[in-house]
Amino acid sequence: MSDFNNKVVWITGASSGIGRALAIAFSHAGAKCILSARNTSALEETQRMCTNPDKQVVLQLDVTDEQRVEYAVREVVDLGGVDILINNAGVSQRSTVEKTDMSVYRSLMEVNYFAVVKLTKTILPHMIKQGQGSIVTISSIAGKVGPPYRAGYAASKHALHGFFDSLRAETSHKGIRSLVVCPGYINTPIAHNALAGDGEKYNKRDAENANGLDANDLAQRILKAIKKKKTEVYFGKFEVNAVRLKRFLPGILTKMLSKKFLEDPEK
Ligand code: NDP
């Protein structure tokens, strides 16, 4: 029997990309998924794509709305609690520092960092009370290395690592596991949904994402990492090497990223 059989898994950002792939993978492994995002019809589409759709629950939620987050947590606890929370909802960026409005930095922090802190903090006492729980957070390779056009996105993802390192130290003895996942380029609509420097949607597809790892493949690797009780993992193609390069050969990494930027500085 699967490790996830009858586990309750709450996935934010389940209306698209990685969140949808995780819902499909967890439901296939026998889990009951709670599917959250803003777009209800897209969540219902995810639900239909899951194994045993009737077992899966759609819970519409804007993760930046703190009051709604509190209400949603109460609802989920009333349904019987959560074994695994997947903080996956997120927004990317495609703009240089010189051409990015301050409001874009604030929006990125709201969705990618503060919303994760709020949901995690709100569900945490319930997980501690039940004596166990896993909190899985989707960061990025950009959470370890800042690439061009992503300064605000990279900063918001870097912040998650500090938060979860501290949380892990404070709560692992209470049965709470914290896993931070750093994907490289994954083939999803993330570039399309990313913010441009003026706060509008970028609305284009990036070749890097289109040629990236398949989201279903990533989802399977994430399930394995949870089973193996990992704390931080990196999944992708060649770009994953940036983490090791930053540690051991930072000068070479800087040259490589600068060269990449100069190949297309007006992106
Ligand atoms: P998508 O754009 O396909 O999906 C983003 C998801 O986040 C959507 O379901 C969207 O749902 C949800 N979301 C955005 N804002 C909110 C909000 N305010 N409240 C609730 N849900 C929200 O991108 P991916 O699937 O690729 O991204 C998922 C995660 O993976 C993100 O955290 C991203 O940073 C991370 N990641 C992705 C990589 C990639 O290459 N694709 C690489 C590294 C990390 P809705 O609009 O319906 O609210």
Side-chain angles (χ1 to χ4, degrees):
M1 192 176 288
S2 144
D3 292 49
F4 300 111
N5 203 36
N6 289 326
K7 295 284 182 210
V8 180
V9 183
W10 189 2
I11 306 168
T12 68
S15 61
S16 177
I18 296 170
R20 174 171 281 172
L22 282 167
I24 293 168
F26 274 114
S27 68
H28 188 69
K32 171 182 169 172
C33 300
I34 300 169
L35 310 171
S36 289
R38 293 164 302 178
N39 183 336
T40 310
S41 57
L43 286 173
E44 286 166 352
E45 202 181 322
T46 301
Q47 184 184 27
R48 285 192 291 275
M49 293 166 88
C50 285
T51 305
N52 294 322
D54 294 346
K55 199 171 157 183
Q56 322 309 330
V57 176
V58 166
L59 178 63
Q60 200 254 355
L61 178 67
D62 179 339
V63 290
T64 64
D65 180 339
E66 295 201 358
Q67 257 187 325
R68 271 287 301 149
V69 166
E70 282 177 20
Y71 180 76
V73 167
R74 273 201 299 276
E75 224 174 308
V76 164
V77 169
D78 287 348
L79 283 173
V82 182
D83 297 296
I84 304 174
L85 166 67
I86 315 264
N87 286 311
N88 166 75
V91 177
S92 192
Q93 173 198 10
R94 296 291 183 277
S95 54
T96 61
V97 172
E98 284 174 280
K99 292 186 180 164
T100 301
D101 294 348
M102 265 318 284
S103 60
V104 171
Y105 292 114
R106 294 194 196 282
S107 298
L108 290 164
M109 286 305 279
E110 283 298 336
V111 182
N112 296 343
Y113 179 66
F114 288 116
V116 172
V117 171
K118 176 64 186 175
L119 182 51
T120 299
K121 253 184 81 58
T122 313
I123 201 78
L124 187 64
H126 301 285
M127 283 187 167
I128 290 174
K129 200 168 161 198
Q130 70 194 13
Q132 59 86 27
S134 289
I135 301 171
V136 179
T137 301
I138 311 300
S139 171
S140 172
I141 294 296
K144 306 301 284 184
V145 175
Y149 310 105
R150 312 270 205 289
Y153 177 72
S156 67
K157 294 294 189 181
H158 271 71
L160 293 170
H161 289 263
F163 180 84
F164 282 101
D165 283 349
S166 297
L167 182 75
R168 195 179 296 114
E170 292 171 15
T171 59
S172 60
H173 70 285
K174 294 181 178 174
I176 309 301
R177 297 190 185 286
S178 297
L179 163 65
V180 180
V181 179
C182 302
Y185 296 115
I186 312 299
N187 186 7
T188 73
I190 191 164
H192 194 86
N193 295 328
L195 297 182
D198 58 2
E200 292 296 314
K201 265 196 181 186
Y202 182 65
N203 252 333
K204 290 184 220 162
R205 207 164 161 74
D206 262 6
E208 285 155 338
N209 289 102
N211 296 325
L213 205 67
D214 179 74
N216 296 305
D217 184 355
L218 174 72
Q220 291 302 334
R221 296 192 200 192
I222 293 173
L223 264 67
K224 270 193 204 139
I226 298 170
K227 265 193 238 172
K228 288 185 177 168
K229 303 183 170 73
K230 298 275 186 190
T231 53
E232 188 169 295
V233 287
Y234 314 103
F235 296 133
K237 294 184 178 174
F238 178 76
E239 67 280 5
V240 169
N241 294 313
V243 179
R244 248 174 287 143
L245 269 181
K246 181 170 176 176
R247 188 157 172 210
F248 298 113
L249 297 165
I252 291 186
L253 179 67
T254 301
K255 279 189 189 141
M256 286 171 72
L257 291 176
S258 168
K259 183 167 174 267
K260 181 179 153 79
F261 174 68
L262 289 170
E263 279 165 10
D264 191 7
E266 292 306 319
K267 186 173 181 174

